[in-house]
Amino acid sequence: MTTGRWLQARGGGMSLFKARDWWSATLGEGEEFDQGCLCVGDVDNSGTGHDKVVVGSYMGMLRIFSPHASKTIEGGQADAQLLEVQLQNAIIQVELGKFVSCSELLHLAVLHPRKLSVYSVSGTAGNVEHGDQYQLKLVYEHNLQRTACNMTYGTFGGVMGHHSLCIQSMDGMLMFFEQDSYSFGRFLPGFLLPGPLTYNPRTDSFLTVSSARELESYKYETLAVATEAESRQDPNLPLKTGGKRLTPDWVFVLGEQALDLCVPSFSHASSHIFILGERNIYCLRDNGQIHFMKKLEFNPSCFLPYASVTDGTTNLLLGNHTNMLLVYQDVTLKWASQLSFIPVAVRVANFLDVKGVVVDAREADYEQVEAEMKKLQKFIREATRTQDILPKTDSEDDLCITTTVSSSMDNPSQALIHDINGLPVPSVTVQVKVKASSVVKSSKLSIGVQPPLTVTQEQFVLEAMGVPKVLQSRFNLPPSLVCVACPPPKATKFKITVDTNQPPVDLSSIFREFSAKSEDKDGNSLAFQLLSGAKVTVLASKTSQRYRIQSDSFEDMWLVVKELVHRFDQHFSKLGIKDFKKSFSGPLPLEEYFLSVDKHFQLRVSAQKYQDLLSERAVQFRAIQRRLLTRFKDKTPAPLQNLDTLMDATYSQVMALAEAAEENRALLEEAFVRLRSATHLLVLLLSLWQGLTPDQTSILEATLLPLLQDTPQLGWEESCDAAVSHLLRTCLSQNPKDQATSLAQTGGSVLGLPSDTARLKKHITLLCERIGKGGRLTLASEANVQVPAQVQNLAVPGWDEATLSHLSVMLLNTQVAGLLQEKEKKEVSKEPSEASVKEEEPIKETKKEKKESSKEKKDSKRESTKEPKEEAKKESKKESSSSKEKKESSKEKKEKEKEKEGKEAGDKKVSRRSSVKVKEKKKEPEAAEG
C-alpha cells in the first residue's frame, strides 16, 4: 500500500492505447485501501437507477460519491461527494444489501476488525443552494469476539427477501448473522491462514481457498448441523457434542494462492465460479468441475466478471501490475487499455448520463513512495544517533505557549469546596496565551495539576490557529494557595536542618505574603498551616547560618523546604552573590520515609483483598440468582430453601465490601499523594547533601517517582524497585565487570505487587549509600567503567575521550565473554574474586554483610560533615591503584592493606570512610547486589 490514492471512473468507450478519465477524486493523504474497500449501488435508495460509489479506508474514513461529469477535477470532486464520515475503527470491507428485517431498502454493512455495523443512508432535499444533505444512521451493530478478515452476504438457506452476513475471522471461524441477531459459528477444518470468501446462491454454499491452495465448497446446511464452534478442537479427538464433523462438499486443487473469488449472478443461465490466482484465471462450474483456465503472462491485481452481449460467455475486467486494464471474453482478449496507475479494486456501475462506467481505485507511484520511505529512514537514523528525547525547537517557533499566574488570590474564591477544617479554600487565576504563525485546525489545550489541586476546566477547544504540534508549558503556583500563616507549635516530631554559606536572612523578607499575619516580628521564625491541618515551622538561627524546618508531618515539610530553597536562590541572585551554596548535613530521614512507603503498600494490599472478596461474592450472588430464577420458572412450585435469605445476605455483603473498597481507594489516593511528597523531600535532601547537578537530580527523581499515579496493573513499589535496581547495576555499580555483564542482560520478569517492601527498602538504602560514597548518576552506561590498561596506553592522534571510553566498554564486554567461555585459563582465574562474584538477592545476605552495612552507616554519619570532593579524590586514587593490586597474591594484598591503614590513621585530612573501603574490597556481593 502507498500513501496516495485515487478513485476514478472511466468511460465505456476506450481509446486504442489509453483509457479516458471521465471523473476522478483524491481520497485524502496517507490513507490505505484494499480489495474490499469499494462497492457501488443505490445506497440512498433514491430509486433513480443511478449508482453511488462507497469507499472505506483502513484509517476509518467512509466516503460516498455520486459521480458526474465536470470541467475541473476539484469542482467535480466537491459536487460529487455526498458524505464523508470518520469512523472510530479501520474499515476492512463495505457491502450493500437488504440487511434489515421487515425492510426492502438497501443498507450499508461496514466490517471493522472487531465490529460489524449496519447503516442506513438517507438524503434530504435542500432548500438553499448548498444542495441535498445526506446522513449516516447506525441501525445495529455486532461486537465480534474474534478479529475479522473478510465477509460475504446472500440469501443463506434459501430465505428470500433479505440478506444474511457471514464473517471469516483470522483464526478460521465462520460467524453467521441474520439481521440483528447472531446465528452460529463454525471453525473451518485444517485452517492455517484466511483466504477469499464468497457465497454461491445457486447451490447455497460458501467458497473459500485454504492454506493448502485448494478451493473448498461448504453447503450452508452442512455448516448449520456441524459441531458448535466454542473453541478450536483437534479433528482427531472425539466430538464433545452431538453435531456432525464439518467436511467440504467438494475440493478443487488450485496449486497457487487465490487473490479473489467471484460468483457472478447477472443471469439465471450463468453457473460459473471465477477464481483469480497469482498466475492463472480459473472458471469452474457449480459442482467443482473446471470449465476453462487462462494462463497469465503478468501479475494480476484485481478482476471482475460482468455480463456479456454474447450468450454463453462472460466478460472479465482484469487489472495487472503493468498498469493495464484488460477485457476478456472467456479466454479471448478483446480489449487492452493503458492506465497511469495500478488498480486495486474494480467495479462496473451506472451513473447519470452514462452507463457501463468502470470504477477503480488505484495506487500511487511506487518511485515516489520509495523516495519518501528513504527520507523517513534517514530521519529515523538521525534521531536514533542523538541522545535527546525531545526534538530541538527552531529559533522562531511556529507555535508558542506562555502562562502567567496571578499575583493575588481570587476574590471571591472560585473553589468548589469553600472550606476545609475551618480554613477557607482559595483559588488563583492562570492566564494561558497561545500564539501561532500559521493556521491549523482542531487545536486542543489541556491543563493538568497534581492532586489534591484541581482546575475549573481541563480541556479547551481552540479555533484554527497554528501548525500541528504538541507543546508543553510548566508554571508554578503560589504557596498561599495551599497554606496560611499561623502561630508556631510548641513541640514537633520531625526536624530538618539546611546550612548556607551566607549570613542569616530575615524570613519576613523572603515570605512577604505570610509576614503580615505572622506573630514573630523579628523575622527569625515563620509557621505555615496547610489546608489539610498540618503545621510547618521555619526557624532561622541568630548566630549560625542554619535554618531548621520542623513539623509533626514528615511529608508536608517538602513544600516548605522546596519553597525556602527556591526563594533563597532568587534572593541571593538578586543581590549579585554568585557563590551562594546550600547543603544538608544531617542524616537522611530514611526511617521516616519508609513509614510512608509501608502505609501506601498496606493500602494497596487491602485494595487487592477487597477486589478478590468482591469477585467471590459477585460469583456467589449470580449463582443464587440463577437458582432462584430456575425455581420461579418451574411450573410446579417448590420451596426456596432459604435462597432468598441467602441472596439478601450476599447482597448486603457485596454492598458493604463495595463501600469499604471505595473508602480504601480514597485513602490510597491520599497515601500516594503523601508518598510523592515524601519522595520529593528525599530527592531534595539527597541533592543538597551531595551537591547533585540538575541533570542528576532529574535522574534521581525519575527513578524514585516513575509513576504519576497508581494503577491496578502497575504500582509505585514494583516500578520504583525496578528503576533503582537498574541504577545499582549500571551507573552506581562498583564492579566494572558486573556492570558490563548487567548491561548485556536482556528481558526480565513481569512487574507485579510484591509480597513486602523489604527488598525495596534495602535497594533505596543502598542507593543512598552509594550516592554518599561519590557515585555518579548518569544515563550513559560507561560512566563508572574503569578504562583498562590496554586503552590507557593508547595514544592515537585524533581520538577523543568519548572514543576511548567507547572502546573500553567493548574491551570489557570481550573480557566478560572470555570469563564465561574459558574458565579453565589460569590468567583469568588469577584475577581477584571480586570480579567474578555474581549478584545476589538483598534478602539472602549473610549476617556478616549486614553488620558491615550498619558499620558503613555509622561511619558515613560521623564523617558526613567533611567535603565530598576530597573523599572523591581519595577514592579515585584507590580505584586507580586497585588495577595493580589485582596482580598480587592475597597475602601481599593483606599486608599492603594493613600498611595503608596505618598511614591513613596518621593523616587527619583523609576521611575514615576511605580507609574502611580497602577492607571492603573482598566483600563485593553487597556492593553488587540489586
Side-chain angles (χ1 to χ4, degrees):
M1 284 300 164
T2 53
T3 55
R5 295 293 185 274
W6 283 81
L7 182 71
Q8 301 204 358
R10 306 193 171 276
M14 296 184 182
S15 64
L16 185 59
F17 299 104
K18 188 176 181 181
R20 297 197 305 266
D21 293 343
W22 177 70
W23 173 86
S24 64
T26 305
L27 303 183
E29 296 181 0
E31 296 190 48
E32 298 182 356
F33 303 84
D34 208 345
Q35 291 182 354
C37 68
L38 179 67
C39 73
V40 294
D42 191 12
V43 65
D44 60 340
N45 299 281
S46 62
T48 59
H50 301 148
D51 294 330
K52 281 79 177 176
V53 181
V54 182
V55 186
S57 70
Y58 283 154
M59 306 307 171
M61 189 67 71
L62 181 67
R63 299 179 178 90
I64 301 178
F65 296 92
S66 178
H68 56 82
S70 178
K71 295 182 180 180
T72 61
I73 295 178
E74 293 79 3
Q77 179 179 352
D79 297 340
Q81 184 167 336
L82 305 182
L83 189 66
E84 184 180 59
V85 180
Q86 174 67 58
L87 302 181
Q88 295 181 355
N89 303 307
I91 299 175
I92 300 177
Q93 191 173 344
V94 289
E95 295 291 350
L96 282 175
K98 300 176 182 179
F99 303 127
V100 178
S101 59
C102 303
S103 177
E104 292 293 328
L105 300 178
L106 293 178
H107 288 77
L108 179 63
V110 180
L111 180 63
H112 302 289
R114 285 278 183 167
K115 184 185 295 185
L116 172 65
S117 303
V118 175
Y119 298 92
S120 65
V121 180
S122 59
T124 304
N127 298 325
V128 293
E129 61 182 2
H130 298 298
D132 300 340
Q133 297 179 358
Y134 288 83
Q135 294 181 349
L136 185 71
K137 183 179 180 181
L138 177 65
V139 181
Y140 64 87
E141 64 181 13
H142 294 286
N143 292 319
L144 306 179
Q145 300 299 323
R146 302 176 183 274
T147 304
C149 176
N150 50 27
M151 69 175 176
T152 186
Y153 71 96
T155 56
F156 302 163
V159 180
M160 306 304 293
H162 65 269
H163 293 150
S164 301
L165 288 163
C166 176
I167 300 175
Q168 180 180 208
S169 67
M170 296 297 291
D171 57 352
M173 182 179 180
L174 297 182
M175 297 171 284
F176 294 88
F177 297 90
E178 188 174 355
Q179 282 80 49
D180 54 351
S181 62
Y182 172 74
S183 297
F184 59 89
R186 300 291 183 266
F187 276 109
L188 296 177
F191 180 86
L192 182 61
L193 294 174
L197 177 69
T198 188
Y199 173 71
N200 189 352
R202 296 183 295 271
T203 60
D204 193 24
S205 59
F206 294 86
L207 303 170
T208 185
V209 179
S210 65
S211 300
R213 299 182 177 181
E214 296 175 346
L215 178 65
E216 299 176 346
S217 174
Y218 297 90
K219 285 188 174 296
Y220 180 76
E221 182 181 358
T222 305
L223 292 167
V225 300
T227 306
E228 179 66 26
E230 294 182 357
S231 60
R232 295 298 296 267
Q233 296 180 2
D234 190 347
N236 298 325
L237 296 177
L239 298 177
K240 297 181 180 180
T241 60
K244 296 181 180 180
R245 178 170 292 155
L246 183 59
T247 56
D249 184 34
W250 53 263
V251 176
F252 179 81
V253 180
L254 295 176
E256 62 178 327
Q257 185 59 40
L259 302 179
D260 199 1
L261 292 177
C262 187
V263 179
S265 58
F266 38 77
S267 66
H268 297 286
S270 62
S271 59
H272 295 148
I273 303 168
F274 291 87
I275 306 101
L276 177 63
E278 296 174 333
R279 285 292 182 179
N280 300 278
I281 294 180
Y282 303 87
C283 180
L284 307 181
R285 295 184 176 90
D286 288 341
N287 57 2
Q289 296 179 356
I290 190 168
H291 180 57
F292 66 81
M293 184 184 75
K294 172 67 176 177
K295 183 175 178 59
L296 304 177
E297 301 296 332
F298 46 79
N299 294 325
S301 60
C302 59
F303 87 129
L304 177 71
Y306 69 99
S308 173
V309 294
T310 305
D311 294 337
T313 61
T314 304
N315 286 359
L316 282 172
L317 279 173
L318 181 62
N320 60 24
H321 286 273
T322 58
N323 299 358
M324 296 289 292
L325 183 64
L326 309 175
V327 181
Y328 285 89
Q329 189 176 52
D330 289 345
V331 295
T332 306
L333 180 63
K334 291 295 185 179
W335 199 263
S337 176
Q338 181 70 39
L339 304 177
S340 59
F341 53 84
I342 299 174
V344 175
V346 60
R347 300 289 185 271
V348 175
N350 294 324
F351 295 141
L352 183 65
D353 301 330
V354 63
K355 292 185 178 182
V357 176
V358 179
V359 182
D360 49 41
R362 75 167 194 179
E363 295 187 355
D365 189 4
Y366 276 104
E367 296 181 355
Q368 179 183 0
V369 175
E370 186 177 0
E372 183 180 1
M373 180 62 70
K374 292 181 178 179
K375 184 178 179 181
L376 292 176
Q377 289 177 349
K378 182 180 179 182
F379 288 158
I380 293 173
R381 286 194 300 267
E382 291 178 354
T384 53
R385 289 173 185 171
T386 60
Q387 295 183 356
D388 296 336
I389 299 177
L390 298 176
K392 297 180 180 179
T393 57
D394 299 332
S395 57
E396 295 182 0
D397 290 335
D398 297 328
L399 185 65
C400 62
I401 299 178
T402 56
T403 54
T404 305
V405 182
S406 177
S407 58
S408 59
M409 298 293 106
D410 297 336
N411 189 14
S413 175
Q414 303 296 323
L416 299 178
I417 302 176
H418 297 292
D419 63 273
I420 298 178
N421 297 329
L423 296 177
V425 179
S427 67
V428 67
T429 302
V430 180
Q431 185 179 16
V432 182
K433 292 183 180 180
V434 184
K435 182 180 179 182
S437 60
S438 56
V439 179
V440 71
K441 297 180 180 179
S442 302
S443 301
K444 294 182 180 179
L445 175 65
S446 300
I447 299 176
V449 294
Q450 297 294 333
L453 299 177
T454 58
V455 293
T456 55
Q457 186 174 350
E458 296 180 351
Q459 297 283 343
F460 295 89
V461 179
L462 308 178
E463 298 178 355
M465 50 165 303
V467 297
K469 188 182 292 185
V470 177
L471 291 183
Q472 190 178 48
S473 177
R474 294 179 178 269
F475 54 90
N476 294 324
L477 296 173
S480 55
L481 189 64
V482 293
C483 60
V484 296
C486 69
K490 296 181 179 180
T492 55
K493 293 182 180 179
F494 309 104
K495 299 177 182 179
I496 292 175
T497 303
V498 178
D499 299 335
T500 62
N501 61 347
Q502 298 296 327
V505 181
D506 187 3
L507 295 178
S508 59
S509 62
I510 298 294
F511 296 94
R512 295 185 181 275
E513 64 270 31
F514 298 99
S515 60
K517 299 180 181 180
S518 177
E519 296 181 357
D520 186 10
K521 303 302 180 182
D522 298 335
N524 296 327
S525 65
L526 189 62
F528 305 88
Q529 182 177 2
L530 302 179
L531 296 181
S532 60
K535 295 182 179 181
V536 183
T537 306
V538 181
L539 300 175
S541 176
K542 298 180 180 179
T543 57
S544 62
Q545 302 168 353
R546 294 184 174 184
Y547 301 86
R548 172 171 291 180
I549 301 94
Q550 55 190 18
S551 174
D552 287 334
S553 176
F554 175 74
E555 303 89 354
D556 294 329
M557 288 193 295
W558 165 69
L559 184 63
V560 177
V561 176
K562 173 180 174 295
E563 193 67 23
L564 180 67
V565 172
H566 176 66
R567 299 201 179 195
F568 276 165
D569 292 336
Q570 289 183 338
H571 175 73
F572 289 108
S573 63
K574 289 181 181 179
L575 297 179
I577 300 175
K578 297 181 180 180
D579 59 344
F580 171 69
K581 293 181 180 180
K582 50 195 178 297
S583 61
F584 171 72
S585 58
L588 291 175
L590 291 179
E591 296 298 331
E592 294 82 356
Y593 175 69
F594 290 153
L595 293 176
S596 301
V597 174
D598 290 335
K599 184 177 181 181
H600 176 263
F601 177 75
Q602 291 301 328
L603 289 173
R604 283 192 64 195
V605 173
S606 301
Q608 185 65 37
K609 291 181 179 178
Y610 283 130
Q611 184 68 28
D612 297 340
L613 289 174
L614 271 174
S615 300
E616 293 176 2
R617 295 299 180 270
V619 172
Q620 178 180 335
F621 188 74
R622 288 192 294 268
I624 298 172
Q625 281 182 324
R626 286 195 296 268
R627 291 284 185 91
L628 284 175
L629 187 61
T630 304
R631 296 288 178 91
F632 291 150
K633 285 184 177 180
D634 194 358
K635 295 181 180 179
T636 59
L640 298 179
Q641 296 178 350
N642 296 325
L643 284 176
D644 53 345
T645 306
L646 184 58
M647 189 177 74
D648 292 339
T650 306
Y651 177 76
S652 301
Q653 291 179 3
V654 170
M655 296 304 297
L657 286 173
E659 292 176 359
E662 185 65 22
E663 183 180 356
N664 186 82
R665 185 192 61 81
L667 293 176
L668 182 60
E669 291 180 357
E670 181 182 353
F672 185 73
V673 172
R674 290 189 170 275
L675 176 61
R676 188 169 61 239
S677 300
T679 306
H680 280 301
L681 179 59
L682 181 63
V683 171
L684 180 58
L685 295 181
L686 274 170
S687 63
L688 294 177
W689 181 37
Q690 292 299 319
L692 301 181
T693 62
D695 292 339
Q696 293 175 338
T697 306
S698 300
I699 295 174
L700 185 60
E701 185 174 351
T703 302
L704 296 178
L705 278 177
L707 297 178
L708 292 178
Q709 60 183 3
D710 276 328
T711 61
Q713 295 79 19
L714 188 64
W716 176 84
E717 283 80 7
E718 55 266 31
S719 303
C720 181
D721 190 21
V724 173
S725 300
H726 177 73
L727 287 185
L728 294 177
R729 289 195 302 263
T730 54
C731 62
L732 293 180
S733 176
Q734 296 180 356
N735 193 341
K737 294 194 176 182
D738 288 346
Q739 176 182 347
T741 305
S742 64
L743 290 175
Q745 295 175 354
T746 57
S749 59
V750 179
L751 297 182
L753 181 64
S755 58
D756 52 30
T757 58
R759 175 188 175 92
L760 174 62
K761 293 178 183 178
K762 189 66 180 178
H763 282 184
I764 294 178
T765 304
L766 193 58
L767 173 73
C768 297
E769 289 178 1
R770 293 190 181 176
I771 293 177
K773 292 179 182 179
R776 237 175 1 125
L777 291 172
T778 178
L779 293 177
S781 59
E782 64 272 9
N784 293 341
V785 178
Q786 296 180 357
V787 180
Q790 300 95 316
V791 183
Q792 292 179 358
N793 296 330
L794 290 176
V796 181
W799 283 20
D800 53 1
E801 294 181 0
T803 306
L804 293 176
S805 172
H806 180 67
L807 183 59
S808 67
V809 176
M810 294 173 60
L811 288 175
L812 282 175
N813 290 334
T814 306
Q815 292 175 2
V816 172
L819 284 173
L820 298 176
Q821 296 176 1
E822 302 178 3
K823 294 183 179 179
E824 67 276 5
K825 289 189 177 181
K826 297 181 180 180
E827 292 80 6
V828 179
S829 63
K830 287 183 180 180
E831 291 184 359
S833 59
E834 60 181 69
S836 61
V837 174
K838 297 181 179 179
E839 297 180 1
E840 297 179 2
E841 296 294 333
I843 304 176
K844 298 181 180 180
E845 273 193 317
T846 60
K847 296 180 179 179
K848 189 174 181 180
E849 292 170 342
K850 290 182 178 180
K851 292 179 181 179
E852 197 169 301
S853 62
S854 62
K855 189 176 180 180
E856 289 178 4
K857 290 181 183 178
K858 294 178 181 179
D859 293 339
S860 61
K861 291 179 181 179
R862 295 174 185 174
E863 301 297 330
S864 59
T865 55
K866 296 189 178 183
E867 297 182 358
K869 293 184 178 179
E870 186 176 350
E871 294 174 0
K873 292 181 180 179
K874 297 299 180 181
E875 290 173 7
S876 62
K877 292 180 180 179
K878 293 294 180 183
E879 291 176 357
S880 62
S881 64
S882 63
S883 61
K884 297 180 180 180
E885 293 176 359
K886 289 180 180 180
K887 299 180 181 180
E888 297 177 356
S889 63
S890 59
K891 294 182 179 179
E892 295 175 354
K893 185 177 179 181
K894 290 181 180 179
E895 294 175 359
K896 288 193 174 185
E897 287 174 354
K898 292 180 180 179
E899 293 175 3
K900 289 182 180 181
E901 289 174 4
K903 292 179 181 180
E904 290 170 353
D907 191 356
K908 296 182 180 180
K909 296 183 180 181
V910 180
S911 65
R912 189 177 302 174
R913 191 187 315 146
S914 60
S915 64
V916 177
K917 186 173 181 179
V918 183
K919 297 182 181 180
E920 297 169 353
K921 285 294 181 177
K922 294 183 180 180
K923 299 173 182 178
E924 282 298 322
E926 179 184 70
E929 50 186 26

